[in-house]
Amino acid sequence: MSKHHHNDPLPDTVLRVKALESLLVEKRLVDPATLDELIETYETKVGPRNGAQVVAKGWTDPAYKQRLLDNATAAIAELGFEGRQGEDMVVLENTDDVHNMVVCTLCSCYPWPVLGLPPVWYKSAPYRARSVIDPRAVLQEFDVELPETTTIRVWDSTAEIRYMVLPQRPAGTENLSEEQLADLVTRDSMIGTGLALDPESKA
Amino acid sequence: MNGAHDLGGMHGFGPINPEVDEPVFHEEWERRAFAITLAMGSHCKWNLDMSRYARESMEPAEYLSTSYYEHWIHGLELLLLEKGFLTEDEIQQRMSDIAAQEKT
């Protein structure tokens, strides 16, 4: 059975959203230009490309990486990424021994300034339910196989603290520029349900 | 508050099925729901915890069978009513007006 988690809305939902927007605009509680700007920002400006730049800088600049691990919010702000849903960031470093993975079992907490808005699967019941009891099986669904000796650490986000994973730098990337490295950093690798891309397979 | 949203460790939800090349929003109403929720948040009449509580107050079976932005809209409507920004009658009236308009 292929169950799609993007369910159709209830019959009244679309109408309800239109009614709320129209009333709020009429009462000047929201400004239509602000609404369009918010949508444009999250559709085109804020997304995993931001996080990828943070990771690439962390891979190439050891002092920056240290700042990232010591005070992620400030280090991320150095690159100009800050604000809503990223006020208190923690960066988790993946190593040969430890693989970190992020979930929000209660809702959808996610580091917006570096990753944008969360994908549907991150907010879905299966991911929220299963990542904390069977992370290895969850990772297999994302085609990630880790050695048995690797510890998997699952971090449950809260409304206050938002996590981002610093994936391991792939082998054979010594000569790549920061920008080329950023191309290897996928959204899922920063959630922990993926690994950074192998430059060979990408090319 | 525990409830249907407290999903950590629950069994029986099946595979995750991540969507390849997923768009930020799937439908126009999701864009609008997202934007009005954020814009109303800037009035500071409620905080994130209150929004979460409002979303989680959905009837459990409904919570599990509806999508993410439906939770948002449910929560937003509740807070708008609670804080006196809108009334139930106003919302119902506007919904029927829009429905009637769309039929013509």
Side-chain angles (χ1 to χ4, degrees):
Chain A
M1 188 184 75
S2 145
K3 183 168 178 287
H4 206 288
H5 294 294
H6 177 67
N7 301 336
D8 284 334
L10 297 171
D12 267 358
T13 296
V14 178
L15 203 52
R16 193 173 296 278
V17 174
K18 285 182 185 167
L20 293 179
E21 179 177 355
S22 127
L23 286 165
L24 294 174
V25 169
E26 191 177 284
K27 291 175 188 272
R28 296 176 185 271
L29 289 163
V30 301
D31 170 15
T34 307
L35 300 181
D36 293 340
E37 201 188 304
L38 280 167
I39 293 165
E40 201 204 324
T41 299
Y42 286 97
E43 274 195 319
T44 62
K45 297 191 183 119
V46 181
R49 187 68 201 170
N50 294 1
Q53 288 174 49
V54 172
V55 169
K57 193 169 169 59
W59 282 345
T60 50
D61 178 345
Y64 182 74
K65 179 176 146 187
Q66 198 52 53
R67 293 203 292 285
L68 207 50
L69 297 175
D70 291 343
N71 181 348
T73 314
I76 290 167
E78 286 177 37
L79 302 193
F81 310 132
E82 52 194 331
R84 223 182 241 125
Q85 314 285 327
E87 293 90 348
D88 206 348
M89 290 286 311
V90 170
V91 167
L92 310 161
E93 185 186 14
N94 281 353
T95 64
D96 287 338
D97 300 323
V98 177
H99 178 91
N100 297 286
M101 186 173 152
V102 181
V103 63
C104 174
T105 60
L106 290 172
C107 184
S108 55
C109 296
Y110 193 73
W112 290 12
V114 278
L115 296 188
L117 300 179
V120 167
W121 62 259
Y122 183 85
K123 306 176 284 193
S124 75
Y127 184 71
R128 285 159 55 187
R130 293 175 48 215
S131 52
V132 286
I133 42 167
D134 200 2
R136 225 169 256 277
V138 167
L139 286 174
Q140 277 167 1
E141 282 180 42
F142 285 86
D143 295 322
V144 177
E145 291 276 357
L146 297 173
E148 279 302 319
T149 49
T150 303
T151 303
I152 301 176
R153 226 167 255 165
V154 181
W155 300 76
D156 198 354
S157 311
T158 67
E160 283 79 33
I161 296 183
R162 307 299 166 103
Y163 300 103
M164 183 180 93
V165 174
L166 178 62
Q168 282 190 283
R169 181 174 175 164
T173 56
E174 293 75 14
N175 299 321
L176 297 187
S177 68
E178 222 175 283
E179 206 184 318
Q180 288 168 320
L181 287 170
D183 288 339
L184 304 176
V185 184
T186 62
R187 177 196 65 199
D188 289 2
S189 73
M190 295 179 279
I191 302 174
T193 53
L195 305 176
L197 301 174
D198 174 355
E200 299 290 317
S201 63
K202 194 178 177 288
Chain B
M1 182 175 88
N2 85 17
H5 64 282
D6 195 354
L7 285 165
M10 282 174 76
H11 288 269
F13 281 106
I16 293 159
N17 289 338
E19 181 181 340
V20 180
D21 295 328
E22 183 182 329
V24 177
F25 299 104
H26 288 79
E27 291 176 47
E28 181 59 18
W29 72 267
E30 295 188 343
R31 281 190 188 89
R32 310 317 300 178
F34 169 79
I36 55 176
T37 303
L38 252 61
M40 281 311 295
S42 66
H43 287 282
C44 297
K45 294 289 181 194
W46 51 77
N47 60 27
L48 186 56
D49 299 319
M50 292 161 80
S51 305
R52 288 264 301 268
Y53 183 78
R55 287 168 204 165
E56 290 159 6
S57 72
M58 214 169 189
E59 195 266 314
E62 190 168 305
Y63 180 92
L64 290 173
S65 60
T66 47
S67 70
Y68 181 68
Y69 286 111
E70 288 187 284
H71 302 165
W72 274 42
I73 273 304
H74 171 89
L76 176 66
E77 187 177 352
L78 216 63
L79 290 167
L80 290 171
L81 295 172
E82 216 175 274
K83 300 291 169 194
F85 284 116
L86 300 179
T87 67
E88 192 100 56
D89 290 346
E90 248 176 341
I91 298 171
Q92 283 308 323
Q93 186 57 50
R94 187 57 55 99
M95 283 172 72
S96 21
D97 292 349
I98 294 174
Q101 258 172 32
E102 285 178 350
K103 268 190 196 145
T104 57

